[in-house]
């Protein structure tokens, strides 16, 4: 028997774009939708009964997620962020080894944070460690760490949300590993 009365949710699309869908596991199109609960009589929504909130609906799998899913980068954006991070760390370590960090230390630290801060929360610990180790290997290419290279690598570790102890451990591991 059909329901004569009840509460029904109506959805209105308020935006769209591309996101990483946790359901599908890839970059997909999405619809951002706002829901409103309405009292329904004979299946017809009539009186407002409050909001249902905002959801992000994947266009491919039709799964709905909380809006905070849009805070995660797409795989395309994540790849670009990772590439920029490795590039910036390499340049910062090379600059520190060549000129010393004294003259350009503040600028290097600012640039490292601009590139690494948006990436760091999305990296697994092993990913953060790998970026630091790549920088350490570059610094060691011409001999032991200079004080400015060590300072730069410490800044990289902080920007990647690594503890001081983890940073020191990784720098020691890189120094012991034959190239």
């Amino acid at each position: 028997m059909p329901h004569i009365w009840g509460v029904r949710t109506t959805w209105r699309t308020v935006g769209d774009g591309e996101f990483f869908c946790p359901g599908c596991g890839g970059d997909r199109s999405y619809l951002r939708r706002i829901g409103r609960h309405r009292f329904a009589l004979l299946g017809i929504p009539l009186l407002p009964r409050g909001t249902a909130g905002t959801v992000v609906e994947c266009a491919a799998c039709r799964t709905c997620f909380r809006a905070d899913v849009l805070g995660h980068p797409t795989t395309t954006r994540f790849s670009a962020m990772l590439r920029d991070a490795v590039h910036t760390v390499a340049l910062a370590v090379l600059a520190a080894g060549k000129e010393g960090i004294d003259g350009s230390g503040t600028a290097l630290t600012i640039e490292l944070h601009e590139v690494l801060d948006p990436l760091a929360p999305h990296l697994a610990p092993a990913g953060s460690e790998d970026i630091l180790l790549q920088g350490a290997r570059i610094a060691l290419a011409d001999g032991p760490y200079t004080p400015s290279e060590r300072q730069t690598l410490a800044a990289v570790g902080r920007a990647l949300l690594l503890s001081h102890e983890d940073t020191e451990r990784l720098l020691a591991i890189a120094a012991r590993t034959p190239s």
Side-chain angles (χ1 to χ4, degrees):
M1 177 170 192
H3 294 285
I4 296 177
W5 63 271
V7 176
R8 186 169 172 193
T9 304
T10 57
W11 296 95
R12 180 172 54 98
T13 300
V14 293
D16 61 6
E18 187 176 77
F19 80 128
F20 177 81
C21 177
C24 296
D27 293 349
R28 305 286 187 253
S29 295
Y30 71 85
L31 297 176
R32 185 179 206 144
R33 307 185 80 193
I34 294 177
R36 293 195 52 101
H37 298 302
R38 295 184 178 272
F39 176 73
L41 184 60
L42 299 174
I44 301 170
L46 300 172
L47 302 172
R49 299 294 296 169
T51 62
T54 301
V55 297
V56 174
E57 180 183 317
C58 176
C61 69
R62 298 288 185 217
T63 304
C64 292
F65 303 96
R66 292 190 344 220
D68 63 354
V69 74
L70 297 178
H72 301 284
T74 62
T75 55
T76 303
R77 176 72 185 124
F78 186 75
S79 296
M81 291 166 68
L82 196 54
R83 182 193 65 239
D84 292 346
V86 171
H87 181 81
T88 301
V89 168
L91 290 177
V93 171
L94 289 170
K98 182 178 180 192
E99 302 171 10
I101 198 164
D102 297 333
S104 60
T106 303
L108 283 174
T109 301
I110 290 170
E111 186 171 353
L112 283 170
H113 279 282
E114 284 178 354
V115 173
L116 298 178
D117 285 353
L119 175 65
H122 303 290
L123 286 173
S128 296
E129 291 178 357
D130 190 53
I131 291 172
L132 180 67
L133 284 170
Q134 287 180 36
R137 287 186 205 104
I138 291 168
L140 291 166
D142 62 351
Y145 300 118
T146 64
S148 59
E149 288 170 338
R150 189 170 271 287
Q151 217 175 348
T152 299
L153 291 167
V156 170
R158 285 190 302 276
L160 290 171
L161 307 176
L162 295 171
S163 70
H164 175 72
E165 294 76 21
D166 284 341
T167 298
E168 289 299 317
R169 176 182 57 81
L170 292 166
L171 295 181
I173 288 170
R176 286 192 308 263
T177 305
S179 48

